[in-house]
Amino acid sequence: MALIENWYPPSRENYDLILFVWQFFPLGASLQWFVSWYGMGKTSTKSTLNIPGRLAWMTMECPGFLTLLYIMNTLPAQHGITDLPWQNKVLAALFVIHYTYRAVIFPCIQPSMSPIHLFVWAFAIVFQLINATCIGGWLAAYGPVTARAWGKQLSPYPTLQFAVGLVVFYVGLSANYFHDDELREIRRREQLRQGRLAREQGVRSGSVEKHYQIPQAGLFRYMLYPHYFVEWVEWTGFYIACGLGCVPARMFVINEIAAMLPRAVNGRKWYAEKFGEEKIRNKWAVIPGIL
């Protein structure tokens, strides 16, 4: 049953239209190069339009994997597909695994989260819905849906290419979690420090919502936003497994970079202003040797 006839899930004609428009996303994302404001994370500011961090994060990230699951469970039947190849199911599972962590687990295990502006929240929901519609539509009906089609999609070495893609994906996913946890550890240590001082002085412990340090573990030794970089690696692995002709997976990588690269470059400026350029002189923003 379609929630929105011909759109959710999309008909082939509407899917092609959505995918075509999606390829112009970097043009809109490029506006971030000219705007220093970003109402989320370390650059969030007080506003009546702010949404509490955990609530905003979960509600803006969950629509992605929920949309993909919905499309995977409804669109095949509309096209007479009774059973999808195992590759489609594995790729859908990778998407869900990532967002189970990113959308559900991540906000729950953060020591604190800054509020997120309504505009950023709405923009993220649109990104998730369109991206999941494109990838879900491709996996459910509009991409390869037979073993023979997959052999052609990943020719000349389908098994090898799919396996390489999976390895790259899991390397990126693991590295993403590792570097996220390094950021969490900074606030966990501060929470412990404040808790100890509070007990000694008989006062309430303060908030660590706006406590920042320069992280040093792992790739943080070389860049300030390795968690961005390894997420791009992760989805590049997904793209490899889908096949280089998969436009939705390719656009996911491109659009993530388009959305996140300006934030990383502007974020390096934030670190320089807060801690001094001399403290981060040997660190790139997100791509070692380039930016």
Side-chain angles (χ1 to χ4, degrees):
M1 177 181 175
L3 293 180
I4 304 176
E5 194 67 32
N6 293 324
W7 287 101
Y8 197 77
S11 64
R12 181 60 197 244
E13 181 181 4
N14 289 339
Y15 168 82
D16 289 340
L17 175 62
I18 293 168
L19 184 57
F20 174 76
V21 172
W22 192 223
Q23 295 177 73
F24 293 94
F25 173 85
L27 294 178
S30 67
L31 295 176
Q32 293 181 98
W33 291 106
F34 309 103
V35 180
S36 59
W37 176 85
Y38 191 73
M40 181 176 128
K42 60 176 62 66
T43 55
S44 68
T45 55
K46 291 184 178 180
S47 171
T48 56
L49 296 178
N50 279 351
I51 304 172
R54 295 183 206 279
L55 174 64
W57 187 274
M58 294 184 76
T59 54
M60 75 186 196
E61 293 283 321
C62 283
F65 78 89
L66 293 176
T67 292
L68 182 131
L69 288 173
Y70 169 70
I71 291 175
M72 291 291 291
N73 280 280
T74 56
L75 194 59
Q78 294 182 13
H79 292 268
I81 301 169
T82 56
D83 189 29
L84 289 166
W86 63 268
Q87 293 95 331
N88 302 59
K89 297 173 184 177
V90 169
L91 290 167
L94 296 183
F95 192 93
V96 173
I97 287 170
H98 170 88
Y99 279 106
T100 298
Y101 164 65
R102 178 59 62 197
V104 181
I105 298 174
F106 175 82
C108 291
I109 62 178
Q110 291 293 99
S112 64
M113 291 190 75
S114 297
I116 297 174
H117 194 275
L118 177 65
F119 177 79
V120 176
W121 175 82
F123 183 85
I125 290 177
V126 171
F127 184 100
Q128 289 292 340
L129 289 174
I130 297 177
N131 185 58
T133 297
C134 291
I135 291 178
W138 190 85
L139 290 174
Y142 304 136
V145 292
T146 64
R148 183 176 181 180
W150 270 109
K152 184 177 180 181
Q153 176 75 9
L154 301 179
S155 178
Y157 306 108
T159 302
L160 177 61
Q161 182 170 333
F162 197 85
V164 169
L166 291 186
V167 170
V168 174
F169 177 89
Y170 277 112
V171 167
L173 179 65
S174 301
N176 198 345
Y177 182 87
F178 172 84
H179 291 95
D180 279 350
D181 201 57
E182 172 60 15
L183 294 175
R184 285 190 286 268
E185 183 60 24
I186 289 174
R187 290 189 176 177
R188 285 196 292 256
R189 288 195 299 265
E190 179 63 14
Q191 275 186 330
L192 291 174
R193 188 189 73 82
Q194 289 193 17
R196 185 175 62 254
L197 289 175
R199 288 191 297 272
E200 292 173 355
Q201 299 172 6
V203 297
R204 293 183 62 181
S205 179
S207 171
V208 297
E209 184 178 288
K210 288 296 184 180
H211 175 78
Y212 297 101
Q213 295 177 11
I214 301 174
Q216 301 294 338
L219 294 177
F220 279 115
R221 286 175 287 182
Y222 312 106
M223 61 183 104
L224 292 167
Y225 288 84
H227 45 311
Y228 285 15
F229 178 77
V230 295
E231 184 163 327
W232 301 342
V233 170
E234 182 183 349
W235 292 115
T236 297
F238 184 86
Y239 172 42
I240 292 170
C242 287
L244 302 186
C246 177
V247 177
R250 179 168 68 242
M251 291 314 303
F252 188 11
V253 177
I254 292 173
N255 289 345
E256 270 221 332
I257 294 173
M260 298 163 73
L261 183 59
R263 302 208 306 260
V265 173
N266 288 333
R268 190 186 187 283
K269 296 176 184 176
W270 180 91
Y271 273 102
E273 291 172 0
K274 185 170 182 64
F275 298 103
E277 178 63 32
E278 67 280 359
K279 295 289 183 65
I280 61 168
R281 181 170 290 116
N282 296 322
K283 294 180 186 288
W284 298 89
V286 67
I287 306 176
I290 301 177
L291 287 171

